[in-house]
Amino acid sequence: FGCGMLVRTDVFKKIGLFDPTYFAYFEDADLCYRAKKAGFKIYYCAEAKIEHVPASSSGGFSADSRLRAYFIGRNQVRFWRKFGTFKYSCFLLVLLPSKIVLTLLSFFVRPQPTAAFAKIIGYLEGVLGMSSEWPRFPEYVRQNGKSTN
C-alpha cells in the first residue's frame, strides 16, 4: 500500500512523482512499476506495522461506496492501458467484458447496487482514456460518495 512506502529521492528524480491522474487507487502500483522498469529494486517488509484507515476518503470498504468503486474500476483499466503489452491488451478484451457482466449481475445481490453503476462508469472512462482528477468526475459518482438509496 502507498500509505507505507519509503521511497528514496533519487527514484522520484529519475521517474517522476505519483501520477496525479489516478487520484486514488493504483497510483502506488504505477509508481512501483515505473521504478522497477527504471532499474530500482522494490522491497516488501511483511513485519512492518502501519496504522491506516483504508478507503476512508472514498466511503470505506462498504459495498455501496461509489467513489471507491469508480476509482478502482477506472484506474485498473488505466493501469492496464498504460503498461499493458499486446498480450495484456488481448486479455483486457476478454476480461473487461466479463468484469462488466459480473458487475451488472451484482445489482441483484447487493442491497444498494448503485456502486456497481459507478464501477461500470469507471471501467468505461478507463477504456475511453479519460483520466480526470478530483473533483472532475461524474456527478452521479460524486454525490455524497456513498449510495443513500
Side-chain angles (χ1 to χ4, degrees), residues 113-133:
T114 55
F117 285 115
K119 192 166 201 172
I120 291 171
I121 290 169
Y123 284 146
L124 296 176
E125 287 193 5
V127 167
L128 296 173
M130 302 168 92
S131 58
S132 59
E133 297 175 50

Side-chain angles (χ1 to χ4, degrees), residues 20-148:
T21 59
Y22 285 101
F23 175 69
Y25 304 106
F26 284 86
E27 75 284 359
D28 50 353
D30 175 274
L31 184 79
C32 288
Y33 189 86
R34 289 186 288 130
K36 185 171 181 156
K37 204 171 167 183
F40 293 99
K41 292 183 180 179
I42 309 295
Y43 294 98
Y44 170 73
C45 180
E47 296 82 25
K49 303 289 183 204
I50 296 173
E51 191 169 322
H52 172 62
V53 180
S56 63
S57 61
S58 61
F61 281 119
S62 66
D64 65 333
S65 171
R66 292 182 195 174
L67 286 176
R68 182 173 183 271
Y70 168 77
F71 281 119
I72 287 176
R74 186 195 72 174
N75 292 348
Q76 183 178 38
V77 175
R78 176 169 166 55
F79 186 84
W80 286 340
R81 284 177 54 107
K82 187 173 180 181
F83 298 113
T85 61
F86 178 74
K87 179 180 170 183
Y88 285 112
S89 297
C90 292
F91 182 65
L92 177 62
L93 289 174
V94 174
L95 181 64
L96 188 60
S98 303
K99 285 178 142 307
I100 290 174
V101 167
L102 288 173
T103 303
L104 286 170
L105 290 174
S106 74
F107 291 160
F108 301 106
V109 296
R110 288 184 179 178
Q112 299 179 350
T114 55
F117 285 115
K119 192 166 201 172
I120 291 171
I121 290 169
Y123 284 146
L124 296 176
E125 287 193 5
V127 167
L128 296 173
M130 302 168 92
S131 58
S132 59
E133 297 175 50
W134 177 280
R136 298 175 308 190
F137 56 94
E139 181 65 29
Y140 172 80
V141 176
R142 190 162 18 111
Q143 295 169 358
N144 299 326
K146 263 179 107 171
S147 168
T148 55

